[in-house]
Amino acid sequence: MSMAEGITVKKAENPSEWYTQVIQKAELIDYTDVSGCYVFRPRSFAIWEKLREFFDCEIKKLGVQNLYFPMFIPESFFKKEAEHVEGFAPEVAWVTHSGNTELKERLAIRPTSEAIISDSFRKWTRSWKDLPIKVNQWCNVVRWEFNNPQPFLRTREFLWQEGHTLFVTKEDADKEVMDILELYRRISEELYAMPALLGKKSEKEKFAGADYTTSVECFLPTGKAIQLATSHALGQNFAKAFEIEYTDANEEKQHPYQNSWGISTRSIGVMVIMHSDDKGLVVPPRVALNKAVIVPITTKKVNEEVIKKAKEVYRELKGFNVIFDDREGYSPGWKYNEWEMKGIPVRIEIGPKDVEKDQVVFVRRDNGEKVFVPILNVKERLKEMLEDMQGVLLDNAKSFLKENTLFPKNKEELKTAVNDGKLSLINWCGGCEESIKELGAKTLNMPFDQNPKGSCVNCGSKAKFEIYVSKSY
Ligand code: 86X
């Protein structure tokens, strides 16, 4: 695959091949010899670092501390929460040997860390004075998926943060579930420019170890939804299974209320599918590694002058991590295509005519808008253009969401909506998820603002909830 070659299929015509090409040609991802395991190249790892920087700073304001637990979890720990792990068991990867010697007890490579963290919580929790405990780790996890793997979206190893907290009161725990969900909403909307659907998971879709599960879901231009992040109220379930206890002010033993919450590198793939186009990657400026690229347009006659001016502009923009592309042997047009494919938010062209007029040309990645900018104003104007692009990406995604959300009134309408790749908000009885699955769809979540009316769109019995339904990844 030569770099000169652009994306050869259209997003609307073959979304899965389009995705595969975009992430490789934009140098986000590389494949390895292990199926389901991918290289996060610098252009995607930088996006992850931006997310991490934002979220770390915000959770620290909430009193959460970072720490690190081992990735090996003794099998006996999982037996304590057997009911919660049941469905996941086939995906757990085990370490059984060191060299040729079998271990006394096999060790799981963490698929999530509730078990090992709960074991420490038991030791750290003595008195009500020890609470709350709020910790978080940034780490890798392994889930040996058998469904067809997809870079970022479904991988056998991925990166995430997992937060784990303990509280004296249910009220404090409930509040934190929502505080964290709000941070995930901000990642979705403010960093990734993606409208977020917030709500509570159905009984079937919640984590089995939780009292309730909340989530942020995103609906993509491919007509499928995907979960972006999740925040669980674990209640006292793990506390009971792992004997986490404290003595309250009346000297009585109590189990604390526990939460866990996470967002992963899946979110990068969601962002790619949301915004990118037939030319390649589109990245919201806030999470872009390089905010702009300068392409000097030189001729044999006018070279030094152009390079000199372009360098001036480059120095002026040093806060924006700008790429200076003065490579020889590539035409300007070739360079434009390459940087568009890689999703650099703004291209800055400067040629002989521009030098004469003390100006440059800005070209915006999302809409191709072209403007002449006096060299004196490049810094201010670049900042404005990036902010505008960030806003427009979110606005466009919001319009798309609005135009593609339907309110089917009966099963026929729901079926049509699902087949047409629409998002449906339905009145729902709280059961009958099997027959929604049969339509090729899933329940996403129940928005917090509930107004159920009439009868269940799917089965006709009394509606108790409103819930989002669509195809999903
Ligand atoms: C569910 C629970 C939770 C902290 C999050 O969703 C966010 C961050 N953890 C995750 N869960 C699993 O997915 C799971 C998977 C496997 Cl393979 C397993 F063996 C156990 C699990 N337990 C919980």
Side-chain angles (χ1 to χ4, degrees):
M1 182 170 55
S2 96
M3 292 229 296
E5 195 184 316
I7 312 297
T8 61
V9 295
K10 301 223 177 307
K11 184 179 188 179
E13 283 163 18
N14 189 347
S16 108
E17 173 61 19
W18 167 85
Y19 177 68
T20 307
Q21 288 194 15
V22 170
I23 58 179
Q24 288 179 86
K25 295 187 179 191
E27 295 178 353
L28 297 184
I29 278 285
D30 207 359
Y31 285 68
T32 71
D33 282 358
V34 182
S35 165
C37 296
Y38 307 92
V39 183
F40 293 91
R41 301 184 67 177
R43 296 195 167 282
S44 61
F45 200 78
I47 297 170
W48 185 240
E49 286 181 314
K50 297 268 196 277
L51 182 154
R52 179 169 170 163
E53 194 176 65
F54 169 82
F55 191 74
D56 243 349
C57 169
E58 292 300 322
I59 59 176
K60 282 171 190 172
K61 290 185 203 162
L62 296 175
V64 179
Q65 294 178 302
N66 281 331
L67 49 46
Y68 186 78
F69 273 78
M71 70 184 306
F72 302 113
I73 306 178
E75 183 166 25
S76 53
F77 284 26
F78 286 102
K79 303 222 158 110
K80 301 187 186 183
E81 50 146 350
E83 330 85 87
H84 313 149
V85 182
E86 216 177 352
F88 300 118
E91 291 177 5
V92 178
W94 296 97
V95 177
T96 56
H97 288 78
S98 71
N100 292 322
T101 315
E102 197 166 330
L103 302 185
K104 282 209 187 71
E105 181 180 11
R106 53 181 191 155
L107 302 170
I109 304 176
R110 67 177 157 232
T112 182
S113 301
E114 274 80 0
I116 191 168
I117 293 181
S118 292
D119 190 63
S120 289
F121 277 172
R122 176 172 48 75
K123 298 179 226 168
W124 297 345
T125 308
R126 288 281 165 266
S127 131
W128 59 275
K129 290 170 226 151
D130 298 326
L131 298 174
I133 295 175
K134 305 182 193 182
V135 297
N136 177 71
Q137 67 179 356
W138 294 90
C139 63
N140 59 340
V141 280
V142 170
R143 296 179 184 173
W144 212 258
E145 299 262 1
F146 293 96
N147 288 336
N148 114 64
Q150 285 263 284
F152 298 121
L153 304 177
R154 197 181 309 114
T155 62
R156 286 176 164 175
E157 181 185 3
F158 53 91
L159 304 179
W160 74 356
Q161 60 65 220
E162 50 177 323
H164 297 266
T165 54
L166 291 179
F167 299 88
V168 166
T169 67
K170 181 175 182 317
E171 289 66 38
D172 287 352
D174 285 342
K175 178 174 183 303
E176 192 210 50
V177 168
M178 295 305 288
D179 287 346
I180 296 294
L181 202 68
E182 166 64 8
L183 294 181
Y184 293 145
R185 184 199 65 76
R186 290 182 60 194
I187 289 175
S188 183
E189 302 199 340
E190 294 174 14
L191 272 62
Y192 285 157
M194 306 193 297
L197 304 169
L198 274 59
K200 211 172 128 181
K201 286 284 195 182
S202 71
E203 280 302 305
K204 271 240 167 66
E205 295 290 336
K206 72 164 198 186
F207 168 38
D211 279 358
Y212 64 91
T213 294
T214 65
S215 71
V216 170
E217 312 274 338
C218 291
F219 183 70
L220 292 172
T222 48
K224 295 186 192 176
I226 189 163
Q227 182 177 295
L228 189 79
T230 172
S231 179
H232 308 280
L234 304 176
Q236 297 176 317
N237 305 333
F238 280 83
K240 286 174 183 164
F242 287 86
E243 300 174 295
I244 310 171
E245 287 180 342
Y246 68 91
T247 322
D248 70 13
N250 304 318
E251 295 292 314
E252 279 175 49
K253 290 264 184 231
Q254 304 288 353
H255 292 299
Y257 289 85
Q258 191 169 357
N259 292 339
S260 75
W261 27 272
I263 188 166
S264 77
T265 40
R266 162 189 277 192
S267 64
I268 300 169
V270 180
M271 179 209 76
V272 169
I273 298 172
M274 183 68 84
H275 299 301
S276 301
D277 62 20
D278 294 341
K279 292 180 177 171
L281 187 67
V282 176
V283 181
R286 254 196 96 173
V287 294
L289 172 59
N290 308 107
K291 313 295 181 196
V293 54
I294 297 175
V295 183
I297 305 161
T298 53
T299 59
K300 282 217 176 71
K301 281 212 322 247
V302 198
N303 186 325
E304 241 127 83
E305 268 300 283
V306 171
I307 294 291
K308 186 164 161 270
K309 271 286 174 204
K311 282 255 164 76
E312 250 176 58
V313 173
Y314 179 62
R315 275 192 296 274
E316 178 72 9
L317 296 176
K318 71 173 170 314
F320 295 89
N321 200 15
V322 174
I323 299 165
F324 192 82
D325 187 2
D326 60 351
R327 288 174 298 173
E328 285 171 26
Y330 297 96
S331 71
W334 191 93
K335 291 177 179 178
Y336 297 171
N337 289 337
E338 185 189 359
W339 297 120
E340 281 174 350
M341 196 153 74
K342 290 186 175 159
I344 311 301
V346 176
R347 175 172 81 235
I348 302 173
E349 305 169 4
I350 176 164
K353 288 226 175 70
D354 303 309
V355 172
E356 269 171 35
K357 296 183 188 164
D358 249 324
Q359 68 177 26
V360 296
V361 184
F362 281 9
V363 183
R364 224 170 99 162
R365 176 62 184 87
D366 60 328
N367 59 10
E369 190 195 329
K370 215 170 165 165
V371 292
F372 297 93
V373 176
I375 287 184
L376 265 175
N377 303 341
V378 283
K379 209 162 138 186
E380 195 49 37
R381 294 285 293 276
L382 179 59
K383 183 166 172 282
E384 278 169 23
M385 185 173 266
L386 294 169
E387 280 167 8
D388 193 64
M389 175 171 165
Q390 183 80 31
V392 165
L393 286 176
L394 179 60
D395 288 346
N396 289 348
K398 278 184 178 166
S399 309
F400 172 83
L401 178 66
K402 196 159 179 233
E403 284 158 21
N404 287 276
T405 306
L406 300 181
F407 306 89
K409 292 283 162 289
N410 54 51
K411 190 156 182 178
E412 240 356 88
E413 287 182 19
L414 175 61
K415 194 175 163 185
T416 309
V418 168
N419 288 338
D420 291 350
K422 303 290 182 183
L423 174 70
S424 297
L425 184 64
I426 64 166
N427 287 296
W428 179 55
C429 65
C432 78
E433 270 168 290
E434 278 311 313
S435 56
I436 291 173
K437 279 225 174 84
E438 280 162 22
L439 297 176
K442 255 177 64 174
T443 62
L444 309 178
N445 64 24
M446 300 178 272
F448 292 113
D449 182 16
Q450 284 281 313
N451 277 302
K453 280 194 268 310
S455 56
C456 175
V457 160
N458 188 58
C459 74
S461 57
K462 187 178 158 48
K464 295 197 190 109
F465 309 102
E466 288 179 298
I467 193 161
Y468 283 112
V469 173
S470 77
K471 288 187 200 163
S472 75
Y473 275 88

